[in-house]
């Protein structure tokens, strides 16, 4: 009996496939790639069939950092009033990548962060790659998630306690409450994040260098869920949506695969090998979260829509088992910051319920996440 | 009744004042500056007299990081055998500053570190400014304490599990056990430690730049206590010796003052004000550890012997209260690494029993030490 039979249908997000390159079928309502489950079930079955016990597996996902997942999107009934309030506030214009961070934070990927970092959070992130919580425990937070503003915006805000964030298209996106403005020391930020100040770092050159000399922190209230209308929004499942899906599939372990380029056979071997190892460790129903990065990438990386189509082919061809795989987009921008960034990639997936994150790339070094559930970081099969 | 009356004499280290500029008196056997206690007692007494309750105060010093203080000096009876063993090992020549680090680590200032950092410790220090211990708890460790070697030394060590460390004068100093050799990525080390790679950093230019391209980690066994024979060794009290002294004085709070230049009146006001605040907080017998840095400093800092003489005058003049002040030398080299270094300065004093460390300098930023006993960092009276 395959997992399929014990997994109820899920309607967590509406599918509107506007991208002609991806041909979703209406019969699957939560993630188009799982349509291959039926195909796969009629195939050899591989290691999936005959595992048994799926129907009695209880989900026991790892807790999000800091406890309950934040949800910073204003409830629907309050949106009109909040929008009216925002209209009267000083405005901060967001760039495309700022908006991606609003998205990331609003859904709890950076749990328990509730907005753009204030200075004490920023410094904890820079120096400790971690936050210390009120109860004395630590959660990983390696990348500064900050919003830069210029002198003009700083002056416009003046002593206002709150500011309204306006998207690249001019639409009101969010309120930033109890703001704190502090110096954007770019050189220190770069040196402590990348471990180098050498030229040629894509995020530095495209995002930090042209940014303002001030950072503004505060609590986010997002006026409505962030959408991109690029035909891929149905892939952008929040940590809460993913956890719900893992629960429905009765996953007892989730392992995530971070990528921003097409899956190749080496990746597939690594993913399948990880599943095998988890089964050997006694897990009964490990689920793979195939989780391409959807935010800012450098110009020569493969575009997201092409990658999503490629990922769908991988499942279609049975290279990965659609019964035990969920494909979703991780909305974060990419820093290209090596060992500092892998911590972020792993931490964000913990918030979505993954105990293990596989990362492929150049040698990243050994990092031990300051968290009770240590995240296992594997690089092409090598455990660090 | 003054504290003096309940403090037994202490003979924890032999006083050999070889520096003609400091005229110690033989009547005080543990720290020459406390000779002013008698002077001070015959003076007005200030806030010391009449506080009462001193005779019933119980010491409750903060625990060292990681539990018991390490003591890496080989017991006397084993030294001959260990020295003979070291003779047969591949040798690593130490510079003056390397030797200072051997001293620092051997006495437990960097507790629970037991030697020069291996790569996993080095990376934890660089990325998290902390070590995660086996029980899942964290201790601060912001500066990499590492030993650099060149290609030739690496080749000489080959596959030997151990190496002998030879001092700048050619004498055998220590054994480094179970060594691990790894790449010395200088640029990353500098960027993550200083938050800049700009030229002009004294420790970088004088220590790191000319150092070898490899780091060697391992457990230290120090063949005998490190001495400098500069007439100031009696000031170099170990954390264990300081704790014993605080216990004897029945301190219920110890606050340390980090400096590497003469004390001026602003400093004195800050120290006296801190004592007053601690009394207001309910502490009965706060003791000041006046703790000048004794290791590497840049060329234009005031020399150590001059500073020690100046400190003695400050107590002689009654600017600080000798009854509640201990003067000792902190043997660490100086990195001039701003907020990363203040963590080290505070952490080392926690290991000596101080709950609070006062640091004077340029604005250092807010750092929260990942430790249950948060260290209060004050900069000229401002609490960060």
């Amino acid at each position: 009996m395959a997992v399929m039979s014990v997994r109820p249908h899920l309607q967590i997000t509406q599918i509107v496939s506007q991208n002609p390159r991806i041909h979703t079928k209406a019969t699957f309502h939560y993630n188009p790639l799982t349509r291959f489950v039926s195909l796969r079930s009629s195939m050899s079955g591989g290691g999936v069939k005959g595992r048994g016990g799926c129907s009695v597996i209880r989900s026991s996902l790892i807790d999000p950092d800091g406890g309950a997942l934040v949800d910073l999107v204003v409830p629907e009934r309050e949106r009109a009033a909040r929008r009216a309030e925002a209209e009267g506030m000083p405005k901060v214009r967001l760039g495309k990548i700022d908006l991606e961070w609003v998205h990331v934070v609003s859904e709890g990927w950076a749990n328990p962060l509730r907005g753009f970092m204030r200075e004490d959070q920023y410094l904890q992130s820079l120096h400790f790659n971690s936050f210390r919580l009120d109860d004395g425990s630590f959660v990983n937070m390696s990348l500064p998630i900050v919003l830069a503003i210029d002198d003009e915006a700083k002056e416009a805000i003046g002593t206002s306690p709150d500011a309204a964030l306006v998207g690249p298209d001019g639409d009101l996106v969010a309120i930033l409450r109890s703001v704190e403005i502090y110096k954007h020391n770019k050189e220190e930020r770069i040196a402590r994040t990348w471990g180098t100040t050498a030229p040629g770092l894509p995020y530095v050159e495209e995002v930090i260098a042209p940014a303002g000399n001030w950072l503004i922190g505060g609590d986010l209230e997002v006026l409505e869920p962030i959408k991109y209308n690029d035909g891929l929004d149905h892939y952008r499942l929040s940590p809460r949506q993913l956890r719900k899906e893992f629960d429905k599939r009765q996953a007892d372990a989730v392992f995530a695969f971070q990528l921003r380029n097409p899956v190749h056979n080496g990746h597939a071997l690594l993913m399948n090998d990880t599943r095998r190892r988890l089964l050997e460790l006694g897990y009964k129903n490990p689920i793979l979260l195939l989780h391409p990065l959807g935010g800012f990438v450098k110009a020569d990386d493969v575009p997201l829509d092409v990658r999503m189509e490629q990922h769908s082919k991988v499942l279609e061809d049975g290279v990965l088992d659609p019964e035990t795989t969920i494909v979703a987009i991780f909305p974060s921008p990419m820093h290209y910051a090596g060992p500092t960034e892998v911590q972020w990639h792993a931490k964000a997936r913990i918030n979505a319920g993954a105990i293990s994150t596989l990362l492929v790339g150049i040698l990243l070094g050994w990092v031990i996440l300051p968290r009770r559930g240590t995240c296992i970081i594997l690089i092409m099969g090598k455990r660090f």
Side-chain angles (χ1 to χ4, degrees), chain A residues 2-20:
Chain A
V3 181
M4 188 64 186
S5 63
V6 294
R7 178 171 45 78
H9 274 250
L10 192 63
Q11 298 183 332
I12 49 181
T13 184
Q14 202 182 356
I15 293 180
V16 189
S17 178
Q18 302 169 339
N19 187 326

Side-chain angles (χ1 to χ4, degrees), chain A residues 292-329:
Chain A
L293 184 135
F296 166 80
V297 287
K298 58 190 167 66
D300 60 353
D301 276 349
V302 177
L304 183 61
D305 56 350
V306 178
R307 285 188 274 142
M308 295 312 293
E309 187 175 3
Q310 194 267 351
H311 298 348
S312 82
K313 293 292 184 202
V314 169
L315 270 81
E316 196 170 357
D317 293 349
V319 177
L320 294 173
D321 179 359
E323 287 189 2
T324 57
T325 303
I326 294 174
V327 184
I329 290 174

Side-chain angles (χ1 to χ4, degrees), chain A residues 39 98 177 189 191 324:
Chain A
L39 281 173
D98 298 326
R177 295 275 186 201
R189 178 182 172 194
T324 57

Side-chain angles (χ1 to χ4, degrees), chain A residues 16-32:
Chain A
V16 189
S17 178
Q18 302 169 339
N19 187 326
R21 305 211 334 230
I22 298 189
H23 312 283
T24 57
K25 288 177 184 168
T27 46
F28 294 90
H29 297 287
Y30 53 99
N31 191 317

